[in-house]
Short mmCIF file of all heavy atoms in Angstrom, two decimals:
data_model
loop_
_atom_site.label_atom_id
_atom_site.label_comp_id
_atom_site.label_asym_id
_atom_site.label_seq_id
_atom_site.Cartn_x
_atom_site.Cartn_y
_atom_site.Cartn_z
N VAL A 55 100.46 124.17 89.61
CA VAL A 55 99.29 124.67 90.34
C VAL A 55 98.74 125.94 89.71
O VAL A 55 97.58 126.31 89.97
CB VAL A 55 99.61 124.90 91.84
CG1 VAL A 55 99.97 123.61 92.52
CG2 VAL A 55 100.70 125.94 92.03
N ARG A 56 99.54 126.64 88.89
CA ARG A 56 98.98 127.75 88.12
C ARG A 56 98.05 127.23 87.03
O ARG A 56 97.05 127.85 86.68
CB ARG A 56 100.09 128.60 87.51
CG ARG A 56 100.72 129.60 88.47
CD ARG A 56 101.50 130.66 87.73
NE ARG A 56 102.64 130.09 87.03
CZ ARG A 56 103.86 130.01 87.53
NH1 ARG A 56 104.08 130.46 88.74
NH2 ARG A 56 104.85 129.50 86.83
N GLU A 57 98.41 126.07 86.46
CA GLU A 57 97.58 125.47 85.41
C GLU A 57 96.29 124.89 85.99
O GLU A 57 95.22 125.02 85.41
CB GLU A 57 98.36 124.35 84.71
CG GLU A 57 99.55 124.84 83.88
CD GLU A 57 99.10 125.57 82.62
OE1 GLU A 57 98.01 125.25 82.11
OE2 GLU A 57 99.84 126.46 82.18
N ARG A 58 96.40 124.23 87.12
CA ARG A 58 95.23 123.58 87.71
C ARG A 58 95.37 123.61 89.22
O ARG A 58 96.24 122.95 89.77
CB ARG A 58 95.12 122.13 87.22
CG ARG A 58 93.92 121.38 87.80
CD ARG A 58 93.86 119.97 87.22
NE ARG A 58 95.04 119.20 87.58
CZ ARG A 58 95.16 118.52 88.72
NH1 ARG A 58 94.21 118.55 89.61
NH2 ARG A 58 96.25 117.81 88.97
N THR A 59 94.54 124.38 89.88
CA THR A 59 94.65 124.53 91.33
C THR A 59 94.08 123.30 92.02
O THR A 59 92.89 123.00 91.88
CB THR A 59 93.90 125.78 91.80
OG1 THR A 59 92.54 125.69 91.37
CG2 THR A 59 94.52 127.04 91.21
N PRO A 60 94.89 122.58 92.78
CA PRO A 60 94.41 121.35 93.42
C PRO A 60 93.61 121.58 94.70
O PRO A 60 92.92 120.68 95.15
CB PRO A 60 95.71 120.59 93.71
CG PRO A 60 96.73 121.66 93.88
CD PRO A 60 96.33 122.78 92.96
N GLY A 61 93.73 122.74 95.29
CA GLY A 61 93.03 122.99 96.55
C GLY A 61 93.91 122.74 97.76
O GLY A 61 94.91 122.02 97.69
N MET A 62 93.52 123.32 98.88
CA MET A 62 94.36 123.30 100.08
C MET A 62 94.58 121.89 100.60
O MET A 62 95.70 121.50 100.94
CB MET A 62 93.73 124.18 101.16
CG MET A 62 94.57 124.29 102.42
SD MET A 62 93.81 125.34 103.66
CE MET A 62 92.38 124.37 104.12
N ARG A 63 93.53 121.08 100.68
CA ARG A 63 93.68 119.75 101.26
C ARG A 63 94.62 118.88 100.42
O ARG A 63 95.45 118.15 100.97
CB ARG A 63 92.31 119.08 101.38
CG ARG A 63 91.41 119.73 102.43
CD ARG A 63 90.11 118.95 102.60
NE ARG A 63 89.27 119.54 103.62
CZ ARG A 63 88.08 119.08 103.97
NH1 ARG A 63 87.59 118.00 103.36
NH2 ARG A 63 87.38 119.67 104.91
N ALA A 64 94.48 118.95 99.11
CA ALA A 64 95.36 118.17 98.24
C ALA A 64 96.81 118.63 98.38
O ALA A 64 97.74 117.81 98.38
CB ALA A 64 94.90 118.28 96.79
N LEU A 65 97.01 119.93 98.51
CA LEU A 65 98.37 120.44 98.67
C LEU A 65 98.99 119.96 99.99
O LEU A 65 100.16 119.57 100.02
CB LEU A 65 98.36 121.97 98.64
CG LEU A 65 98.23 122.62 97.26
CD1 LEU A 65 98.11 124.13 97.39
CD2 LEU A 65 99.42 122.26 96.38
N VAL A 66 98.22 120.00 101.04
CA VAL A 66 98.73 119.55 102.34
C VAL A 66 99.09 118.06 102.27
O VAL A 66 100.15 117.64 102.76
CB VAL A 66 97.71 119.83 103.46
CG1 VAL A 66 98.14 119.16 104.76
CG2 VAL A 66 97.56 121.33 103.67
N ARG A 67 98.20 117.26 101.66
CA ARG A 67 98.48 115.82 101.54
C ARG A 67 99.75 115.57 100.73
O ARG A 67 100.53 114.66 101.04
CB ARG A 67 97.30 115.11 100.89
CG ARG A 67 96.09 114.94 101.79
CD ARG A 67 95.12 113.90 101.23
NE ARG A 67 94.67 114.25 99.89
CZ ARG A 67 93.57 114.96 99.64
NH1 ARG A 67 92.82 115.39 100.64
NH2 ARG A 67 93.20 115.21 98.40
N ALA A 68 99.98 116.37 99.70
CA ALA A 68 101.17 116.18 98.87
C ALA A 68 102.43 116.68 99.55
O ALA A 68 103.53 116.22 99.25
CB ALA A 68 100.98 116.90 97.53
N THR A 69 102.27 117.61 100.48
CA THR A 69 103.43 118.23 101.13
C THR A 69 103.92 117.41 102.32
O THR A 69 105.13 117.41 102.61
CB THR A 69 103.07 119.66 101.58
OG1 THR A 69 102.64 120.42 100.45
CG2 THR A 69 104.26 120.35 102.23
N VAL A 70 103.03 116.72 103.00
CA VAL A 70 103.44 115.95 104.18
C VAL A 70 104.56 114.96 103.88
O VAL A 70 105.53 114.87 104.64
CB VAL A 70 102.22 115.25 104.81
CG1 VAL A 70 102.65 114.22 105.83
CG2 VAL A 70 101.30 116.28 105.46
N PRO A 71 104.51 114.18 102.77
CA PRO A 71 105.64 113.28 102.48
C PRO A 71 106.96 114.02 102.25
O PRO A 71 108.02 113.52 102.63
CB PRO A 71 105.19 112.54 101.21
CG PRO A 71 103.72 112.65 101.21
CD PRO A 71 103.40 113.97 101.83
N LEU A 72 106.89 115.21 101.65
CA LEU A 72 108.11 115.99 101.46
C LEU A 72 108.71 116.39 102.81
O LEU A 72 109.93 116.30 103.02
CB LEU A 72 107.82 117.24 100.64
CG LEU A 72 107.46 117.05 99.17
CD1 LEU A 72 107.24 118.40 98.50
CD2 LEU A 72 108.54 116.27 98.44
N PHE A 73 107.87 116.84 103.71
CA PHE A 73 108.36 117.19 105.04
C PHE A 73 108.91 115.96 105.74
O PHE A 73 109.90 116.04 106.48
CB PHE A 73 107.23 117.82 105.85
CG PHE A 73 106.93 119.25 105.50
CD1 PHE A 73 107.53 119.87 104.41
CD2 PHE A 73 106.03 119.98 106.24
CE1 PHE A 73 107.25 121.18 104.09
CE2 PHE A 73 105.74 121.30 105.93
CZ PHE A 73 106.35 121.90 104.84
N GLY A 74 108.26 114.81 105.54
CA GLY A 74 108.78 113.58 106.15
C GLY A 74 110.17 113.25 105.67
O GLY A 74 111.05 112.87 106.47
N LEU A 75 110.43 113.42 104.37
CA LEU A 75 111.77 113.18 103.84
C LEU A 75 112.77 114.19 104.41
O LEU A 75 113.90 113.84 104.73
CB LEU A 75 111.76 113.26 102.31
CG LEU A 75 111.23 112.03 101.58
CD1 LEU A 75 111.13 112.32 100.08
CD2 LEU A 75 112.14 110.83 101.82
N ALA A 76 112.35 115.46 104.50
CA ALA A 76 113.25 116.48 105.05
C ALA A 76 113.59 116.18 106.50
O ALA A 76 114.73 116.40 106.95
CB ALA A 76 112.61 117.86 104.93
N ILE A 77 112.62 115.65 107.25
CA ILE A 77 112.89 115.27 108.65
C ILE A 77 113.88 114.12 108.72
O ILE A 77 114.72 114.04 109.63
CB ILE A 77 111.57 114.92 109.36
CG1 ILE A 77 110.73 116.19 109.56
CG2 ILE A 77 111.82 114.24 110.69
CD1 ILE A 77 109.32 115.94 110.04
N LEU A 78 113.83 113.22 107.74
CA LEU A 78 114.73 112.06 107.73
C LEU A 78 116.16 112.42 107.35
O LEU A 78 117.07 111.63 107.57
CB LEU A 78 114.21 111.01 106.75
CG LEU A 78 112.96 110.23 107.18
CD1 LEU A 78 112.53 109.28 106.08
CD2 LEU A 78 113.20 109.48 108.48
N VAL A 79 116.39 113.59 106.78
CA VAL A 79 117.75 113.98 106.39
C VAL A 79 118.61 114.14 107.64
O VAL A 79 118.31 114.96 108.51
CB VAL A 79 117.74 115.30 105.60
CG1 VAL A 79 119.17 115.76 105.32
CG2 VAL A 79 116.97 115.15 104.30
N PRO A 80 119.69 113.37 107.79
CA PRO A 80 120.59 113.60 108.93
C PRO A 80 121.23 114.99 108.81
O PRO A 80 121.67 115.38 107.73
CB PRO A 80 121.65 112.50 108.78
CG PRO A 80 121.01 111.46 107.90
CD PRO A 80 120.11 112.21 106.97
N THR A 81 121.26 115.73 109.90
CA THR A 81 121.81 117.09 109.85
C THR A 81 123.32 117.01 109.65
O THR A 81 124.05 116.59 110.54
CB THR A 81 121.50 117.85 111.15
OG1 THR A 81 121.92 117.04 112.26
CG2 THR A 81 120.02 118.11 111.28
N PHE A 82 123.77 117.38 108.45
CA PHE A 82 125.19 117.30 108.15
C PHE A 82 125.75 118.61 107.60
O PHE A 82 126.98 118.77 107.50
CB PHE A 82 125.46 116.17 107.14
CG PHE A 82 124.95 116.43 105.76
CD1 PHE A 82 125.82 116.79 104.74
CD2 PHE A 82 123.61 116.32 105.46
CE1 PHE A 82 125.36 117.03 103.46
CE2 PHE A 82 123.14 116.54 104.18
CZ PHE A 82 124.01 116.90 103.17
#
Side-chain angles (χ1 to χ4, degrees):
V55 297
R56 280 197 295 267
E57 292 289 331
R58 180 178 62 86
T59 57
M62 183 179 68
R63 291 185 178 180
L65 282 175
V66 171
R67 286 196 302 268
T69 302
V70 167
L72 291 182
F73 283 7
L75 281 174
I77 290 170
L78 288 177
V79 175
T81 52
F82 70 104

